[in-house]
Amino acid sequence: MSAKKNENDLMEKIVSLCKRRGFVYPSSEIYGGLASCWDYGPLGAELKRNLKNFWWDAMTNRRDDVEGLDAAILMHPEVWHTSGHVTEFHDPMVDCKTCKARFRADKLEEARCPLKPSKSPLECGGELTEPRQFNLMFKTFMGPLEDEASAVFIRPETAQGIYVNFLNVKNSSRQKIPFGIAQIGKAFRNEITPGNFIFRTREFEQMEMQFFVHPSEDEKWFEYWREQRWQWYLELGINEKKLRWHQHDSGELAHYAKAAYDVEYEYPFGWQELEGVHNRTDFDLSRHMAATKKDLRYFDERFTEKFIPYIIETSAGCDRTLLTILVDAYDEMEIKGEKRVFMRLSPKVAPIKAAVFPLVKKDGMPEFAINVYHELKKRFKVFYDESGAVGRRYARMDEAGCPFCITIDGQTLEDETMTLRDRDSMEQTRLKTPEIIEFLGKKIR
Ligand code: GAP
């Protein structure tokens, strides 16, 4: 079987598992779906929430030098002129004169011809137009009139909400430079060729942090944040062998960046960007200062001077990280002649932390199990299941990414111990309720 076929198979398996188990559904599916839009189901919503909390915890709660923010999606239209997005935020687009499909001119090798899906638009024989620039920002109207004066942009990145609040946050938090502002929120880009499931979509969520530093210390903090972000992925349980850095050369650098590195992951469809770490210099604050005439400079006692801070940005896609987690966790094993799927999600982000089963539906086992379930539920997201053979129940939880299953059996009724089965090692340990609570607490935090 070709490598390409294997890659497609793995993505198809993941998409199908996501639908079947309630991680991710196609958006508006009963209407035939809406291209590149996806909805998170019960397990997906929980996984996403845990992922965002994991990021928020690392980037704000555990630190003294980063504050949180939740800025509006709609911003003053001038923001996007000042930031350069109106003039610079373009992708080159070509049309196929045969099938009328549109493609990103710089990603033609990766694209598929709609009429001949095994071929790229470079191979299918269709004639392409000359590339032209296509602005990726969505526009809408504010208020009852649909004219240019009431047009506003739907933010294509969360970062600008942080820059325009730099003074507010500095004054209200009384932080001193170096300090950062972190934000999680939706962003929208009218991508020419979205695809690969939730990898590239038109509506997505970003987890961004902007760190304000003295210009003489930008390189030191750039390296510091690269290291922090790499460690974060390892703490999340991502396989380090599938991660690498990609340094942007001068041709790739965004209009605002002096230096940039991407964290890349090896997806089934190849190495691709997962997160960007950028040295944005004083580009953003200088531009906003010039446009608004507000003094965004900072007086630093250490340097006894006023300066416009440089910004080190860490910018991760939440949906893309979630896809990375799913791809990284997917595993198949043959057990007693049956192919079984294991989603080896880290307990830190797994949607369900533990499942509680009575071995059989008699002899007081369900009653004991329900009590344990209610006790655990006060602290963790747990699931109770008494239907079907215990082997099948294990299999359902393995597919849902649940790391631990707790089974109440005959011995439980004698000494109150239950088996706690570890999804990955398959080891079973007998523990009482307080020990299970302590064990889960340690694994999750
Ligand atoms: N503020 C800087 C910025 O937005 P970016 O490299 O354009 O930088 C940062 O985006 C991250 O946002 C990417 O590394 C990716 O994880 C995510 N992202 C960007 N466009 C996306 C899209 N169309 N769909 C899903 N995620 C996207």
Side-chain angles (χ1 to χ4, degrees):
M1 199 186 294
S2 71
K4 188 94 206 153
K5 173 99 178 62
N6 275 331
E7 291 158 16
N8 293 342
D9 279 358
L10 179 55
M11 281 311 285
E12 272 170 29
K13 282 178 186 171
I14 288 172
V15 174
S16 145
L17 177 129
C18 282
K19 167 87 195 297
R20 188 170 73 251
R21 296 312 315 249
F23 282 100
V24 185
Y25 309 125
S27 166
S28 329
E29 196 183 10
I30 59 170
Y31 284 86
L34 180 65
S36 104
C37 293
W38 302 91
D39 297 340
Y40 289 88
L43 291 184
E46 204 70 41
L47 176 59
K48 201 174 193 197
R49 185 173 293 266
N50 292 343
L51 167 62
K52 288 193 273 187
N53 287 345
F54 189 67
W55 185 89
W56 191 260
D57 233 37
M59 300 299 280
T60 67
N61 295 346
R62 289 205 217 156
R63 307 186 59 100
D64 294 326
D65 57 356
V66 180
E67 301 288 338
L69 182 77
D70 188 358
I73 289 175
L74 299 177
M75 302 180 71
H76 195 293
E78 279 304 315
V79 168
W80 305 107
H81 290 277
T82 306
S83 68
H85 282 80
V86 171
T87 49
E88 307 279 346
F89 200 52
H90 293 113
D91 274 342
M93 180 172 74
V94 290
D95 290 357
C96 174
K97 291 184 184 169
T98 311
C99 70
K100 311 290 176 224
R102 294 190 154 159
F103 304 103
R104 255 179 81 166
D106 56 341
K107 302 260 179 204
L108 287 173
E109 293 89 358
E110 293 168 28
R112 297 288 103 196
C113 163
L115 301 182
K116 297 180 191 165
S118 64
K119 294 192 166 16
S120 80
L122 294 168
E123 304 157 332
C124 66
E127 194 191 338
L128 300 173
T129 59
E130 282 301 306
R132 60 194 188 286
Q133 294 298 332
F134 175 78
N135 191 285
L136 298 183
M137 281 196 294
F138 280 99
K139 249 183 183 178
T140 189
F141 301 99
M142 207 148 176
L145 290 178
E146 294 199 0
D147 57 13
E148 265 313 297
S150 52
V152 287
F153 299 101
I154 308 182
R155 71 179 176 199
E157 62 169 14
T158 59
Q160 298 301 324
I162 295 183
Y163 306 143
V164 301
N165 276 296
F166 167 68
L167 267 189
N168 282 337
V169 175
K170 179 178 82 65
N171 293 338
S172 57
S173 68
R174 302 177 56 235
Q175 284 280 3
K176 289 191 164 57
I177 271 177
F179 79 94
I181 305 177
Q183 164 160 242
I184 298 177
K186 291 256 180 177
F188 300 79
R189 294 181 190 176
N190 202 0
E191 299 280 1
I192 299 167
T193 42
N196 285 324
F197 192 31
I198 51 173
F199 177 81
R200 183 172 286 109
T201 51
R202 295 189 171 114
E203 171 181 347
F204 56 96
E205 231 166 331
Q206 289 187 313
M207 306 186 289
E208 295 200 304
M209 194 281 310
Q210 316 292 326
F211 203 72
F212 302 88
V213 303
H214 188 273
S216 67
E217 297 185 331
D218 64 334
E219 283 166 23
K220 176 180 99 183
W221 284 108
F222 187 64
E223 287 311 315
Y224 170 85
W225 279 108
R226 282 212 307 130
E227 174 62 20
Q228 292 293 305
R229 296 306 303 147
W230 186 265
Q231 288 305 325
W232 185 82
Y233 287 106
L234 302 190
E235 268 189 51
L236 188 57
I238 303 296
N239 178 358
E240 193 172 11
K241 293 199 178 80
K242 295 204 151 216
L243 291 171
R244 72 177 186 194
W245 284 109
H246 165 73
Q247 183 178 13
H248 285 216
D249 60 33
S250 55
E252 285 173 280
L253 281 177
H255 62 273
Y256 48 71
K258 162 180 161 187
Y261 276 83
D262 292 338
V263 179
E264 290 191 336
Y265 181 81
E266 190 179 19
Y267 296 94
F269 41 87
W271 287 96
Q272 296 281 346
E273 173 186 346
L274 168 58
E275 163 161 358
V277 181
H278 311 126
N279 181 344
R280 297 183 70 130
T281 68
D282 59 0
F283 176 89
D284 302 277
L285 291 186
S286 304
R287 301 264 297 224
H288 287 304
M289 187 164 144
T292 60
K293 309 284 180 270
K294 295 278 184 303
D295 188 358
L296 302 181
R297 286 174 304 163
Y298 178 87
F299 178 73
D300 195 317
E301 284 148 18
R302 280 183 308 152
F303 296 92
T304 56
E305 59 169 344
K306 257 188 160 183
F307 62 90
I308 302 174
Y310 269 35
I311 293 170
I312 307 302
E313 171 184 65
T314 70
S315 177
C318 180
D319 311 78
R320 204 170 278 189
T321 309
L322 196 141
L323 175 64
T324 311
I325 291 173
L326 292 174
V327 168
D328 211 59
Y330 188 92
D331 191 16
E332 286 175 358
M333 265 171 57
E334 199 159 297
I335 298 180
K336 293 184 190 148
E338 189 194 346
K339 187 142 65 142
R340 293 254 315 268
V341 173
F342 289 79
M343 290 301 285
R344 303 199 184 280
L345 299 175
S346 156
K348 291 171 186 158
V349 289
I352 300 169
K353 308 299 184 194
V356 182
F357 310 147
L359 184 63
V360 289
K361 270 198 269 184
K362 58 181 187 183
D363 301 335
M365 288 183 212
E367 290 77 2
F368 195 103
I370 284 172
N371 278 340
V372 172
Y373 166 68
H374 283 296
E375 202 47 45
L376 296 182
K377 206 169 139 73
K378 289 177 194 163
R379 301 162 178 88
F380 316 108
K381 177 86 179 166
V382 285
F383 183 74
Y384 177 78
D385 190 2
E386 57 174 33
S387 65
V390 77
R392 291 252 57 83
R393 284 181 260 165
Y394 279 141
R396 287 199 288 265
M397 297 321 295
D398 294 338
E399 235 193 22
C402 173
F404 305 107
C405 291
I406 298 154
T407 305
I408 283 78
D409 55 17
Q411 194 180 326
T412 316
L413 306 175
E414 289 166 20
D415 64 7
E416 299 191 348
T417 65
M418 297 150 260
T419 62
L420 183 138
R421 175 237 195 209
D422 182 310
R423 176 199 61 209
D424 299 335
S425 67
M426 292 278 190
E427 264 173 34
Q428 302 212 5
T429 324
R430 292 204 76 90
L431 298 172
K432 293 186 178 180
T433 307
E435 293 162 337
I436 291 178
I437 292 171
E438 196 189 332
F439 174 87
L440 290 179
K442 277 191 192 149
K443 288 286 178 185
I444 291 160
R445 276 185 280 279

